[in-house]
Amino acid sequence: MSTPILLDCDPGIDDALAIAFAAGHPDIELAGITTVAGNVGVGQTTANALAVSEFAGAPSVPVTRGSAAPLLRAARDARDVHGDSGLGGAVLPPPSRDAEPGHAVDYLIETIAASPGEITLVATGPLTNIALAVRREPRLPGWVRDFVIMGGSAGRGNVTPAAEFNIWSDPEAAAITFGAGWTVRMIGLDVTLQALATPPVRARMSEFGTLGDTLLLPALAQYHDSAAGGDPAVHDVCAVASVAEPSVFGYTPARVEVETAGRLTSGMTVTSFTGSGPGTGSGSGSGSGPNAEVATSIDSGAFWDLVLKTYSGLASSMSR
Ligand code: RIB
Ligand code: CA
């Protein structure tokens, strides 16, 4: 029984690898993709989502364009990390289809509302679309099967000492999202910085034909994710992998509040594992009880066994 997911993303190298994972894993049904400005502008993230999903053998997955900028702040991209194209050194065939008409926010609401309790929503970019969706339809959190993000950190950030890129990009959207009444499964830097594409991992990817030669390896080769020091961290793959195999990660309940006013700490996911919550609930919604399951451990060996097995299967299907 496969799990239908909607992936809201900002491809982005690791978003692209997450799309490939979702397209390749037998227990995941990639039902739709929505895009947001983040790593690069929303026109580019949309083009990348179309190209990557088609390249990965999922040409019929609808892609719907979303927000071009954060709720309040100016858009700040990560082209220094992902390259001007957003896909590092990967050059893919142009997609044969366009994005769907309409806006991502409406698509998310309509699609989830049509299948209450069935769809897992995964967000691997700034949370602008998600915030707009829960404000437009406050019942949305009750209609999803699960809600998973790549974002945040209970510890240090990667853009500033306090903030991780997806949250830093749109702190107001993140605050709204964490305060929307659902339990956010937060796959943050605490675990994603342990999901490193090491030389042995990349050597395995070279066995995957055009999947490895055209997408995985050239993308990773120009992925300047400085926070990880040497080897690139496939942050967003962790979020989708957690849907396929939740046991790869360990989780701890927490109250997460998002800093939106700090001159030095804006975008910090202030995480209280006592569950009582550091905030007054202002900005991150009502209540002070746990609002998140924070990933606090990863079995890196099991993670890469899962990911490489999935890519191997995808590569085989692509070669047919
Ligand atoms: O901090 C890592 C996150 O920011 C990833 O989602 C990456 O794609 C960038 O969007
Ligand atoms: Ca991303």
Side-chain angles (χ1 to χ4, degrees), residues 84-166:
D84 289 343
S85 73
L87 295 180
V91 180
L92 301 182
S96 63
R97 77 212 194 280
D98 294 325
E100 303 298 310
H103 194 281
V105 171
D106 296 323
Y107 169 81
L108 289 171
I109 293 169
E110 290 159 11
T111 307
I112 293 169
S115 302
E118 296 181 18
I119 293 174
T120 292
L121 177 58
V122 182
T124 62
L127 294 168
T128 315
N129 292 337
I130 308 303
L132 290 170
V134 298
R135 276 290 160 89
R136 186 175 174 84
E137 181 44 84
R139 296 172 293 177
L140 193 72
W143 291 342
V144 299
R145 174 175 175 168
D146 201 356
F147 175 52
V148 184
I149 72 168
M150 189 282 136
S153 172
R156 292 180 60 84
N158 59 359
V159 178
T160 72
E164 176 279 324
F165 177 82
N166 289 333

Side-chain angles (χ1 to χ4, degrees), residues 8-16 36 38-39 82 123-126 150 164-166 223 235-236:
D8 187 74
C9 56
D10 63 332
I13 290 167
D14 53 334
D15 305 75
V36 65
N39 290 318
H82 295 261
T124 62
M150 189 282 136
E164 176 279 324
F165 177 82
N166 289 333
Y223 183 24
H235 305 280
D236 295 338

